[in-house]
Amino acid sequence: MWGSRKGGDKQSVVCIACGTAVRRDAAREYDKEGNRWDRKDKTFEHLCKDCHRGLCHQPRAELEDILVDIDAGSIDQQEFFARYETTVNERYGPLEEER
Ligand SMILES: [Zn+2]
């Protein structure tokens, strides 16, 4: 790794759950078991640590159901965030927020 490089935008990814840009090396990849809804633009394949921790309380299969339900592969990112958050809140209640 390039130890001297810090804060480079090209290492940023966007958390699929909260939309926060996080460093790639601080993010958690999600697509390992999520290929069911694999489409051409996989922009929703990372979670920040906080969301990853929150989502781990939920069965992964259900999370994928949500992603399918909201047509994760065929909507744009902003719409995806909105639908995802709404759906998760409806099913599980709000994720804990850490500031
Ligand atoms: Zn997040």
Side-chain angles (χ1 to χ4, degrees):
M1 297 299 283
W2 307 97
S4 62
R5 296 221 167 192
K6 287 189 175 180
D9 280 350
K10 56 181 149 183
Q11 291 191 354
S12 291
V13 295
V14 176
C15 172
I16 65 171
C18 67
T20 300
V22 293
R23 290 179 48 124
R24 179 178 284 276
D25 60 6
R28 294 289 182 266
E29 289 189 355
Y30 176 68
D31 65 344
K32 293 276 199 294
E33 297 178 65
N35 289 328
R36 212 173 298 170
W37 32 266
D38 191 322
R39 303 286 180 103
K40 55 183 184 298
D41 297 314
K42 295 185 66 176
T43 54
F44 41 83
E45 58 191 358
H46 290 85
L47 292 165
C48 70
K49 284 183 180 176
D50 287 346
C51 289
H52 184 265
R53 197 186 314 137
L55 289 169
C56 279
H57 298 313
Q58 299 153 12
R60 180 162 280 222
E62 287 190 29
L63 175 58
E64 295 196 11
D65 278 351
I66 291 172
L67 296 174
V68 172
D69 281 354
I70 64 179
D71 297 323
S74 61
I75 58 180
D76 72 35
Q77 210 168 52
Q78 290 306 315
E79 179 67 15
F80 172 76
F81 294 146
R83 290 195 200 181
Y84 180 88
E85 185 172 21
T86 298
T87 303
V88 169
N89 285 349
E90 283 174 356
R91 294 193 187 195
Y92 305 109
L95 297 175
E96 57 184 296
E97 292 195 8
E98 296 180 32
R99 299 269 152 173

XYZ file of all heavy atoms in Angstrom:
806
model
N 0.839 -1.199 0.000
C 0.000 0.000 0.000
C 0.869 1.243 0.000
O 2.017 1.226 0.371
C -0.903 0.010 1.241
C -1.879 -1.148 1.285
S -3.018 -1.185 -0.084
C -4.166 0.091 0.425
N 0.275 2.360 -0.410
C 0.996 3.614 -0.465
C 0.788 4.364 0.842
O -0.177 5.086 1.009
C 0.538 4.478 -1.632
C 0.593 3.748 -2.930
C -0.427 3.121 -3.552
C 1.735 3.561 -3.749
N 0.019 2.563 -4.725
C 1.329 2.807 -4.875
C 3.084 3.970 -3.641
C 2.211 2.441 -5.884
C 3.961 3.604 -4.640
C 3.529 2.856 -5.736
N 1.682 4.168 1.782
C 1.491 4.714 3.104
C 1.438 6.226 3.156
O 0.852 6.792 4.064
N 2.015 6.887 2.171
C 2.078 8.336 2.243
C 0.853 9.018 1.654
O 0.703 10.213 1.743
C 3.333 8.837 1.515
O 3.266 8.475 0.159
N -0.015 8.262 1.031
C -1.189 8.882 0.413
C -2.350 8.928 1.391
O -2.797 7.914 1.890
C -1.609 8.088 -0.810
C -0.548 8.111 -1.868
C -1.167 8.276 -3.221
N -0.133 8.608 -4.194
C -0.415 9.039 -5.421
N -1.661 9.172 -5.785
N 0.542 9.321 -6.251
N -2.836 10.116 1.612
C -3.940 10.263 2.553
C -5.048 11.119 1.948
O -4.779 12.116 1.309
C -3.467 10.922 3.844
C -2.633 9.989 4.690
C -2.361 10.606 6.047
C -1.638 9.619 6.942
N -1.361 10.189 8.252
N -6.257 10.717 2.204
C -7.387 11.540 1.825
C -7.640 11.645 0.340
O -8.359 12.526 -0.096
N -7.069 10.755 -0.423
C -7.311 10.801 -1.854
C -8.733 10.403 -2.187
O -9.224 9.400 -1.694
N -9.388 11.186 -3.022
C -10.775 10.893 -3.346
C -10.922 9.557 -4.047
O -11.929 8.896 -3.943
C -11.348 11.976 -4.257
C -11.751 13.200 -3.443
O -11.759 13.095 -2.211
O -12.046 14.229 -4.054
N -9.915 9.176 -4.771
C -10.079 7.942 -5.526
C -10.133 6.721 -4.619
O -10.511 5.652 -5.043
C -8.971 7.789 -6.559
C -7.573 7.838 -6.006
C -6.580 7.700 -7.161
C -5.285 8.442 -6.877
N -4.362 8.385 -8.006
N -9.802 6.904 -3.367
C -9.931 5.783 -2.456
C -11.245 5.808 -1.696
O -11.478 4.990 -0.837
C -8.774 5.780 -1.454
C -7.467 5.447 -2.132
C -6.355 5.165 -1.141
O -6.534 5.322 0.054
N -5.220 4.738 -1.630
N -12.076 6.766 -2.031
C -13.348 6.869 -1.320
C -14.411 5.994 -1.958
O -14.466 5.839 -3.172
C -13.839 8.319 -1.327
O -13.017 9.109 -0.521
N -15.236 5.454 -1.136
C -16.409 4.731 -1.595
C -17.605 5.296 -0.831
O -17.449 5.973 0.168
C -16.282 3.215 -1.349
C -15.150 2.636 -2.179
C -16.099 2.912 0.120
N -18.774 4.997 -1.325
C -19.971 5.522 -0.679
C -20.702 4.386 0.007
O -20.978 3.354 -0.587
C -20.885 6.200 -1.713
C -22.187 6.657 -1.063
C -20.171 7.384 -2.347
N -20.996 4.594 1.269
C -21.732 3.594 2.027
C -23.124 3.424 1.431
O -23.829 4.409 1.198
C -21.832 4.041 3.480
S -22.926 3.001 4.458
N -23.506 2.188 1.210
C -24.800 1.952 0.578
C -25.959 2.248 1.508
O -27.079 2.440 1.068
C -24.930 0.498 0.070
C -24.909 -0.497 1.235
C -23.851 0.200 -0.944
C -25.239 -1.909 0.797
N -25.699 2.260 2.790
C -26.807 2.426 3.729
C -27.052 3.881 4.099
O -28.187 4.313 4.200
C -26.557 1.602 4.980
N -25.994 4.646 4.296
C -26.184 6.013 4.769
C -25.686 7.048 3.774
O -25.916 8.234 3.950
C -25.504 6.210 6.124
S -23.712 6.126 6.087
N -25.005 6.615 2.743
C -24.579 7.547 1.712
C -23.340 8.344 2.061
O -22.963 9.249 1.325
N -22.702 7.991 3.134
C -21.504 8.708 3.533
C -20.292 8.217 2.742
O -20.122 7.022 2.550
C -21.234 8.481 5.029
O -22.341 8.959 5.766
C -19.980 9.201 5.472
N -19.488 9.135 2.297
C -18.250 8.748 1.644
C -17.249 8.314 2.704
O -17.027 9.020 3.681
C -17.683 9.913 0.845
N -16.704 7.147 2.513
C -15.727 6.642 3.455
C -14.517 6.150 2.683
O -14.606 5.822 1.503
C -16.306 5.486 4.310
C -17.407 5.993 5.224
C -16.819 4.379 3.435
N -13.408 6.111 3.345
C -12.219 5.579 2.697
C -12.428 4.108 2.377
O -12.961 3.357 3.176
C -11.009 5.734 3.624
C -10.576 7.162 3.787
C -9.396 7.203 4.730
N -8.403 6.196 4.331
C -7.127 6.478 4.070
N -6.702 7.710 4.193
N -6.294 5.533 3.728
N -11.975 3.732 1.219
C -12.161 2.348 0.807
C -11.578 1.367 1.813
O -12.176 0.341 2.111
C -11.494 2.119 -0.559
C -11.631 0.709 -1.046
C -11.001 0.539 -2.406
N -11.828 1.097 -3.454
C -12.846 0.439 -4.022
N -13.146 -0.762 -3.634
N -13.540 0.993 -4.965
N -10.432 1.710 2.355
C -9.814 0.758 3.284
C -10.489 0.770 4.650
O -10.178 -0.044 5.504
C -8.304 0.979 3.390
C -7.950 2.366 3.896
O -8.870 3.130 4.272
O -6.766 2.692 3.899
N -11.412 1.709 4.847
C -12.173 1.717 6.094
C -13.577 1.174 5.891
O -14.335 1.026 6.830
C -12.251 3.137 6.659
N -13.910 0.897 4.663
C -15.258 0.419 4.352
C -15.296 -1.098 4.401
O -14.271 -1.774 4.417
C -15.679 0.910 2.976
N -16.515 -1.591 4.402
C -16.704 -3.035 4.353
C -17.362 -3.378 3.025
O -18.394 -2.820 2.698
C -17.610 -3.489 5.496
C -16.991 -3.298 6.860
C -15.878 -4.279 7.089
N -15.310 -4.131 8.426
C -14.258 -3.387 8.699
N -13.662 -2.714 7.734
N -13.801 -3.309 9.927
N -16.777 -4.270 2.307
C -17.379 -4.650 1.038
C -18.636 -5.460 1.278
O -18.711 -6.245 2.210
C -16.402 -5.477 0.211
C -15.266 -4.630 -0.308
C -14.419 -5.392 -1.293
O -14.665 -6.593 -1.492
O -13.503 -4.768 -1.866
N -19.584 -5.256 0.417
C -20.814 -5.980 0.609
C -21.113 -7.003 -0.477
O -21.872 -7.919 -0.281
C -22.002 -5.012 0.694
C -23.278 -5.782 0.785
C -23.545 -6.524 1.935
C -24.149 -5.855 -0.282
C -24.670 -7.296 2.014
C -25.288 -6.622 -0.199
C -25.545 -7.339 0.940
O -26.652 -8.101 1.026
N -20.526 -6.877 -1.615
C -20.995 -7.657 -2.767
C -20.589 -9.121 -2.755
O -20.934 -9.856 -3.662
C -20.514 -6.999 -4.061
C -19.012 -7.036 -4.191
O -18.326 -7.286 -3.186
O -18.510 -6.827 -5.290
N -19.888 -9.538 -1.720
C -19.409 -10.914 -1.690
C -20.535 -11.931 -1.888
O -20.394 -12.919 -2.581
C -18.746 -11.209 -0.336
C -17.465 -10.435 -0.139
C -16.301 -11.143 -0.793
C -14.987 -10.633 -0.215
N -14.724 -9.248 -0.543
N -21.654 -11.684 -1.266
C -22.763 -12.622 -1.391
C -23.982 -11.972 -2.012
O -25.077 -12.491 -1.932
C -23.136 -13.153 -0.003
C -22.001 -13.935 0.614
C -22.366 -14.399 2.002
O -23.282 -15.199 2.111
O -21.733 -13.948 2.962
N -23.759 -10.845 -2.627
C -24.902 -10.079 -3.117
C -25.038 -10.098 -4.626
O -25.666 -9.225 -5.201
N -24.480 -11.078 -5.267
C -24.464 -11.059 -6.722
C -25.811 -11.349 -7.366
O -25.944 -11.284 -8.579
C -23.437 -12.052 -7.243
C -22.028 -11.560 -6.968
O -21.778 -10.369 -6.968
N -21.123 -12.474 -6.723
N -26.772 -11.662 -6.555
C -28.083 -11.962 -7.092
C -28.632 -10.798 -7.913
O -29.311 -10.976 -8.900
C -29.021 -12.228 -5.910
C -30.081 -13.218 -6.199
C -30.822 -13.521 -4.923
N -29.948 -14.108 -3.917
C -30.303 -14.280 -2.661
N -31.496 -13.910 -2.252
N -29.486 -14.829 -1.809
N -28.352 -9.604 -7.445
C -28.876 -8.434 -8.140
C -27.764 -7.686 -8.866
O -27.806 -6.489 -9.053
C -29.611 -7.501 -7.183
C -29.050 -7.500 -5.798
C -29.483 -8.265 -4.761
C -27.943 -6.738 -5.303
N -28.710 -8.009 -3.659
C -27.773 -7.097 -3.953
C -27.091 -5.797 -5.872
C -26.782 -6.533 -3.161
C -26.098 -5.251 -5.082
C -25.952 -5.621 -3.746
N -26.771 -8.449 -9.209
C -25.650 -7.859 -9.927
C -26.129 -7.219 -11.220
O -26.769 -7.856 -12.028
C -24.634 -8.961 -10.225
C -23.323 -8.380 -10.726
O -23.340 -7.407 -11.480
O -22.284 -8.921 -10.348
N -25.854 -5.956 -11.386
C -26.163 -5.265 -12.627
C -24.895 -4.572 -13.090
O -23.867 -4.651 -12.437
C -27.267 -4.221 -12.423
C -28.542 -4.800 -11.856
C -29.312 -5.597 -12.900
N -30.527 -6.135 -12.300
C -31.745 -5.610 -12.502
N -31.887 -4.585 -13.264
N -32.790 -6.155 -11.936
N -25.019 -3.855 -14.153
C -23.809 -3.279 -14.721
C -23.155 -2.234 -13.820
O -21.953 -2.156 -13.730
C -24.091 -2.687 -16.086
C -25.218 -1.671 -16.115
C -25.460 -1.209 -17.552
C -26.521 -0.116 -17.618
N -27.827 -0.556 -17.137
N -23.964 -1.442 -13.144
C -23.402 -0.389 -12.310
C -23.490 -0.758 -10.848
O -24.499 -0.513 -10.195
C -24.148 0.930 -12.547
C -23.986 1.410 -13.969
O -22.847 1.378 -14.459
O -24.989 1.795 -14.570
N -22.440 -1.316 -10.339
C -22.463 -1.714 -8.940
C -21.870 -0.607 -8.098
O -20.712 -0.618 -7.751
C -21.706 -3.022 -8.753
C -22.401 -4.151 -9.461
C -21.715 -5.468 -9.162
C -21.856 -5.839 -7.713
N -21.288 -7.155 -7.418
N -22.683 0.358 -7.790
C -22.208 1.482 -7.003
C -22.580 1.323 -5.539
O -22.333 2.184 -4.740
C -22.822 2.790 -7.520
O -24.233 2.659 -7.546
C -22.308 3.089 -8.906
N -23.198 0.226 -5.214
C -23.738 0.079 -3.853
C -23.130 -1.132 -3.168
O -23.804 -1.967 -2.605
C -25.255 -0.068 -3.896
C -25.725 -0.954 -5.017
C -25.730 -2.321 -4.874
C -26.152 -0.386 -6.194
C -26.152 -3.129 -5.898
C -26.579 -1.196 -7.233
C -26.582 -2.566 -7.081
N -21.839 -1.193 -3.227
C -21.231 -2.408 -2.737
C -20.322 -2.203 -1.517
O -19.527 -3.041 -1.184
C -20.443 -3.079 -3.847
C -19.377 -2.196 -4.430
C -18.798 -2.790 -5.700
O -19.204 -3.886 -6.081
O -17.930 -2.136 -6.294
N -20.475 -1.071 -0.869
C -19.695 -0.862 0.344
C -20.573 -0.338 1.476
O -21.557 0.351 1.237
C -18.564 0.145 0.100
C -17.496 -0.400 -0.788
N -17.576 -0.353 -2.159
C -16.340 -1.022 -0.496
C -16.500 -0.921 -2.661
N -15.731 -1.340 -1.687
N -20.165 -0.666 2.655
C -20.821 -0.145 3.851
C -19.761 0.498 4.732
O -18.653 -0.010 4.838
C -21.476 -1.280 4.644
C -22.683 -1.968 3.998
C -22.970 -3.265 4.720
C -23.897 -1.056 4.052
N -20.125 1.606 5.363
C -19.202 2.136 6.357
C -19.237 1.231 7.588
O -20.131 0.396 7.739
C -19.562 3.578 6.715
S -21.084 3.763 7.665
N -18.288 1.419 8.466
C -18.196 0.504 9.610
C -19.447 0.541 10.471
O -19.925 -0.475 10.944
C -16.976 0.875 10.458
C -15.679 0.433 9.831
C -14.520 0.766 10.751
C -13.212 0.316 10.136
N -12.057 0.722 10.961
N -19.946 1.746 10.678
C -21.114 1.868 11.555
C -22.306 1.128 10.979
O -23.001 0.407 11.686
C -21.474 3.343 11.743
C -20.474 4.047 12.644
O -19.690 3.343 13.310
O -20.477 5.272 12.675
N -22.548 1.312 9.694
C -23.693 0.658 9.084
C -23.465 -0.847 8.998
O -24.384 -1.637 9.190
C -23.957 1.220 7.700
S -24.603 2.895 7.755
N -22.260 -1.227 8.706
C -21.970 -2.653 8.640
C -22.277 -3.315 9.966
O -22.884 -4.372 10.038
C -20.504 -2.855 8.279
C -20.145 -4.292 8.093
N -19.615 -5.059 9.099
C -20.276 -5.108 7.015
C -19.413 -6.288 8.646
N -19.803 -6.350 7.399
N -21.877 -2.651 11.029
C -22.134 -3.181 12.357
C -23.640 -3.274 12.605
O -24.143 -4.253 13.128
C -21.480 -2.276 13.404
C -21.330 -2.942 14.748
C -20.812 -1.934 15.775
N -19.697 -1.144 15.257
C -19.572 0.164 15.429
N -20.483 0.845 16.068
N -18.523 0.799 14.959
N -24.355 -2.234 12.209
C -25.801 -2.233 12.389
C -26.473 -3.313 11.568
O -27.345 -4.033 12.055
N -26.059 -3.440 10.334
C -26.698 -4.393 9.448
C -26.390 -5.824 9.833
O -27.154 -6.730 9.533
C -26.244 -4.144 8.007
C -26.808 -2.850 7.406
C -26.104 -2.552 6.092
C -28.295 -2.951 7.191
N -25.297 -6.024 10.520
C -24.941 -7.377 10.913
C -25.922 -7.960 11.920
O -25.970 -9.163 12.131
C -23.530 -7.418 11.503
S -22.266 -7.461 10.233
N -26.708 -7.098 12.526
C -27.728 -7.602 13.431
C -28.902 -8.207 12.678
O -29.744 -8.858 13.243
C -28.256 -6.475 14.324
C -27.198 -5.893 15.199
N -26.330 -6.661 15.930
C -26.843 -4.612 15.448
C -25.505 -5.870 16.595
N -25.787 -4.629 16.307
N -28.927 -7.959 11.399
C -30.041 -8.440 10.592
C -29.555 -9.586 9.706
O -28.432 -9.578 9.238
C -30.565 -7.307 9.710
C -31.081 -6.137 10.522
C -30.970 -4.842 9.752
O -30.712 -4.854 8.566
N -31.157 -3.734 10.438
N -30.400 -10.533 9.483
C -30.010 -11.642 8.617
C -29.663 -11.135 7.226
O -30.387 -10.323 6.662
C -31.272 -12.506 8.559
C -32.064 -12.133 9.756
C -31.747 -10.694 10.018
N -28.589 -11.585 6.707
C -28.139 -11.097 5.417
C -29.147 -11.399 4.311
O -29.338 -10.622 3.389
C -26.790 -11.743 5.084
C -26.236 -11.311 3.767
C -24.761 -11.608 3.686
N -24.000 -10.586 4.398
C -22.866 -10.063 3.936
N -22.351 -10.480 2.823
N -22.240 -9.153 4.602
N -29.793 -12.537 4.399
C -30.752 -12.888 3.368
C -31.874 -11.861 3.317
O -32.372 -11.529 2.248
C -31.328 -14.270 3.627
N -32.264 -11.368 4.472
C -33.317 -10.369 4.476
C -32.844 -9.062 3.881
O -33.594 -8.370 3.205
C -33.819 -10.123 5.901
C -34.645 -11.279 6.400
C -35.327 -10.929 7.714
O -35.612 -9.742 7.938
O -35.563 -11.850 8.494
N -31.621 -8.727 4.157
C -31.076 -7.521 3.556
C -31.134 -7.630 2.040
O -31.500 -6.699 1.345
C -29.636 -7.312 4.017
C -28.905 -6.138 3.365
C -29.636 -4.832 3.613
C -27.491 -6.053 3.893
N -30.812 -8.764 1.534
C -30.845 -8.918 0.088
C -32.271 -8.884 -0.448
O -32.525 -8.396 -1.547
C -30.130 -10.203 -0.311
C -28.662 -10.076 0.041
C -27.803 -11.110 -0.656
O -28.306 -11.784 -1.558
O -26.635 -11.206 -0.283
N -33.187 -9.389 0.328
C -34.590 -9.239 -0.066
C -34.948 -7.775 -0.234
O -35.639 -7.391 -1.165
C -35.510 -9.844 1.005
C -35.626 -11.345 0.844
O -35.142 -11.867 -0.185
O -36.201 -11.983 1.727
N -34.470 -6.977 0.702
C -34.750 -5.544 0.620
C -34.157 -4.970 -0.655
O -34.808 -4.235 -1.386
C -34.171 -4.807 1.849
C -34.952 -5.200 3.098
C -34.229 -3.293 1.629
C -34.351 -4.678 4.387
N -32.952 -5.332 -0.911
C -32.294 -4.794 -2.100
C -33.053 -5.167 -3.364
O -33.172 -4.380 -4.299
C -30.853 -5.305 -2.175
C -29.955 -4.834 -1.026
C -28.598 -5.516 -1.116
C -29.765 -3.327 -1.053
N -33.592 -6.364 -3.383
C -34.387 -6.779 -4.528
C -35.704 -6.017 -4.564
O -36.125 -5.521 -5.609
C -34.646 -8.301 -4.482
C -35.647 -8.707 -5.567
C -33.336 -9.052 -4.681
N -36.316 -5.912 -3.398
C -37.609 -5.225 -3.325
C -37.551 -3.806 -3.852
O -38.485 -3.321 -4.472
C -38.099 -5.174 -1.871
C -38.701 -6.496 -1.433
O -38.828 -7.383 -2.280
O -39.029 -6.619 -0.253
N -36.474 -3.129 -3.566
C -36.389 -1.731 -3.967
C -35.697 -1.575 -5.320
O -35.328 -0.483 -5.698
C -35.670 -0.879 -2.899
C -34.209 -1.306 -2.726
C -36.427 -0.971 -1.569
C -33.469 -0.457 -1.704
N -35.541 -2.674 -6.034
C -34.933 -2.607 -7.368
C -33.574 -1.934 -7.321
O -33.290 -1.014 -8.080
C -35.842 -1.838 -8.340
C -37.159 -2.543 -8.539
O -37.149 -3.778 -8.572
O -38.189 -1.861 -8.656
N -32.758 -2.402 -6.423
C -31.480 -1.744 -6.176
C -30.643 -1.596 -7.446
O -29.905 -0.632 -7.591
C -30.689 -2.519 -5.126
N -30.764 -2.518 -8.352
C -29.919 -2.462 -9.535
C -30.421 -1.543 -10.625
O -29.711 -1.306 -11.600
N -31.623 -1.037 -10.498
C -32.194 -0.297 -11.619
C -32.606 1.129 -11.272
O -33.240 1.795 -12.062
C -33.406 -1.051 -12.175
O -34.393 -1.181 -11.178
N -32.228 1.586 -10.085
C -32.556 2.958 -9.716
C -31.268 3.702 -9.453
O -30.223 3.088 -9.236
C -33.458 3.000 -8.456
C -32.777 2.296 -7.283
C -34.810 2.377 -8.769
C -33.606 2.290 -6.007
N -31.361 5.016 -9.482
C -30.114 5.737 -9.250
C -29.772 5.767 -7.767
O -30.559 5.368 -6.915
C -30.137 7.124 -9.883
C -31.064 8.090 -9.147
O -31.174 8.010 -7.906
O -31.673 8.917 -9.830
N -28.579 6.232 -7.485
C -28.036 6.082 -6.145
C -28.851 6.840 -5.100
O -29.132 6.320 -4.021
C -26.601 6.608 -6.155
C -25.726 5.915 -5.168
C -24.270 6.255 -5.407
O -23.897 7.416 -5.499
N -23.423 5.257 -5.525
N -29.245 8.032 -5.424
C -30.007 8.818 -4.463
C -31.329 8.139 -4.147
O -31.745 8.045 -2.998
C -30.249 10.235 -5.007
C -28.994 11.075 -5.067
C -28.266 11.151 -3.729
O -28.884 11.350 -2.695
N -26.966 10.970 -3.745
N -31.987 7.670 -5.163
C -33.248 6.978 -4.959
C -33.021 5.706 -4.147
O -33.802 5.350 -3.269
C -33.874 6.649 -6.319
C -35.192 5.912 -6.224
C -36.306 6.758 -5.611
O -36.158 7.985 -5.520
O -37.331 6.176 -5.218
N -31.945 5.045 -4.455
C -31.623 3.840 -3.705
C -31.463 4.127 -2.222
O -32.033 3.442 -1.375
C -30.347 3.213 -4.253
C -29.860 2.072 -3.397
C -30.487 0.854 -3.451
C -28.798 2.249 -2.529
C -30.057 -0.194 -2.645
C -28.364 1.210 -1.728
C -29.000 -0.008 -1.792
N -30.704 5.160 -1.903
C -30.509 5.486 -0.488
C -31.844 5.755 0.191
O -32.102 5.296 1.299
C -29.626 6.734 -0.343
C -28.224 6.530 -0.803
C -27.524 7.565 -1.397
C -27.588 5.304 -0.649
C -26.227 7.394 -1.833
C -26.287 5.124 -1.082
C -25.613 6.172 -1.674
N -32.668 6.525 -0.492
C -33.950 6.901 0.089
C -34.815 5.664 0.316
O -35.393 5.474 1.391
C -34.661 7.891 -0.827
N -34.896 4.820 -0.677
C -35.743 3.635 -0.546
C -35.184 2.673 0.487
O -35.921 2.065 1.261
C -35.816 2.895 -1.883
C -36.598 3.639 -2.933
C -36.922 2.682 -4.039
N -37.245 3.387 -5.270
C -37.581 2.766 -6.406
N -37.618 1.452 -6.449
N -37.861 3.465 -7.477
N -33.875 2.532 0.466
C -33.252 1.599 1.394
C -33.504 2.021 2.835
O -33.929 1.223 3.672
C -31.748 1.536 1.127
C -31.051 0.579 2.060
C -30.947 -0.768 1.715
C -30.536 1.001 3.275
C -30.341 -1.667 2.573
C -29.928 0.113 4.133
C -29.829 -1.211 3.786
O -29.231 -2.085 4.631
N -33.260 3.286 3.092
C -33.433 3.780 4.454
C -34.879 3.623 4.902
O -35.172 3.179 6.012
C -33.013 5.245 4.514
C -33.041 5.784 5.932
C -32.450 7.177 6.008
O -32.393 7.860 4.968
O -32.058 7.577 7.102
N -35.791 3.987 4.022
C -37.209 3.872 4.352
C -37.584 2.423 4.642
O -38.238 2.113 5.645
C -38.063 4.400 3.191
O -37.762 5.777 2.991
C -39.547 4.253 3.501
N -37.147 1.544 3.776
C -37.509 0.142 3.931
C -36.924 -0.455 5.199
O -37.619 -1.150 5.950
C -37.026 -0.659 2.712
O -37.599 -0.086 1.529
C -37.469 -2.111 2.817
N -35.677 -0.165 5.451
C -35.045 -0.709 6.652
C -35.697 -0.151 7.912
O -35.960 -0.881 8.864
C -33.534 -0.414 6.645
C -32.915 -0.739 8.004
C -32.852 -1.231 5.559
N -35.982 1.142 7.887
C -36.634 1.729 9.050
C -37.996 1.113 9.295
O -38.395 0.883 10.435
C -36.779 3.244 8.869
C -35.458 3.965 9.068
O -34.483 3.383 9.528
N -35.424 5.224 8.706
N -38.702 0.836 8.231
C -40.015 0.227 8.369
C -39.909 -1.186 8.937
O -40.708 -1.612 9.749
C -40.719 0.170 7.010
C -41.278 1.526 6.592
C -41.837 1.481 5.182
O -41.710 0.430 4.514
O -42.389 2.503 4.750
N -38.922 -1.903 8.484
C -38.833 -3.309 8.897
C -38.166 -3.496 10.246
O -38.529 -4.371 11.024
C -38.038 -4.104 7.855
C -38.760 -4.174 6.523
C -38.111 -5.205 5.645
N -38.702 -5.155 4.304
C -38.548 -6.107 3.391
N -37.817 -7.162 3.661
N -39.099 -5.982 2.210
N -37.160 -2.680 10.508
C -36.323 -2.959 11.683
C -36.243 -1.804 12.655
O -35.643 -1.936 13.714
C -34.897 -3.289 11.235
C -34.819 -4.411 10.242
C -34.490 -4.167 8.924
C -35.087 -5.714 10.636
C -34.419 -5.192 7.998
C -35.029 -6.747 9.725
C -34.690 -6.475 8.414
O -34.617 -7.489 7.508
N -36.786 -0.667 12.271
C -36.557 0.516 13.072
C -35.256 1.172 12.641
O -34.456 0.576 11.928
N -35.068 2.417 13.069
C -33.888 3.173 12.639
C -32.588 2.510 13.076
O -32.508 1.969 14.194
C -34.060 4.527 13.323
C -35.474 4.586 13.754
C -35.927 3.162 13.954
N -31.614 2.570 12.219
C -30.272 2.153 12.632
C -29.738 3.180 13.617
O -30.053 4.342 13.544
C -29.350 2.094 11.417
C -29.718 1.076 10.351
C -28.780 1.241 9.167
C -29.625 -0.332 10.903
N -28.910 2.700 14.495
C -28.334 3.652 15.433
C -27.416 4.612 14.705
O -26.679 4.228 13.814
C -27.554 2.904 16.515
C -26.474 2.016 15.969
C -25.814 1.221 17.087
O -25.208 1.854 17.948
O -25.932 -0.007 17.088
N -27.522 5.843 15.093
C -26.663 6.842 14.460
C -25.579 7.243 15.423
O -25.811 7.500 16.588
C -27.483 8.070 14.070
C -28.455 7.766 12.958
C -28.987 9.046 12.328
O -28.470 10.126 12.665
O -29.908 8.944 11.522
N -24.380 7.319 14.894
C -23.259 7.736 15.722
C -22.674 8.987 15.135
O -22.375 9.051 13.958
C -22.217 6.639 15.786
C -22.754 5.395 16.474
C -21.687 4.327 16.526
O -20.506 4.671 16.621
O -22.045 3.148 16.465
N -22.514 9.956 15.937
C -21.971 11.222 15.450
C -20.725 11.546 16.222
O -20.712 11.363 17.409
C -22.960 12.355 15.652
C -24.241 12.130 14.905
C -24.137 12.763 13.531
N -25.012 12.028 12.608
C -25.234 12.415 11.368
N -24.646 13.445 10.887
N -26.011 11.720 10.589
Zn -23.036 3.954 6.452
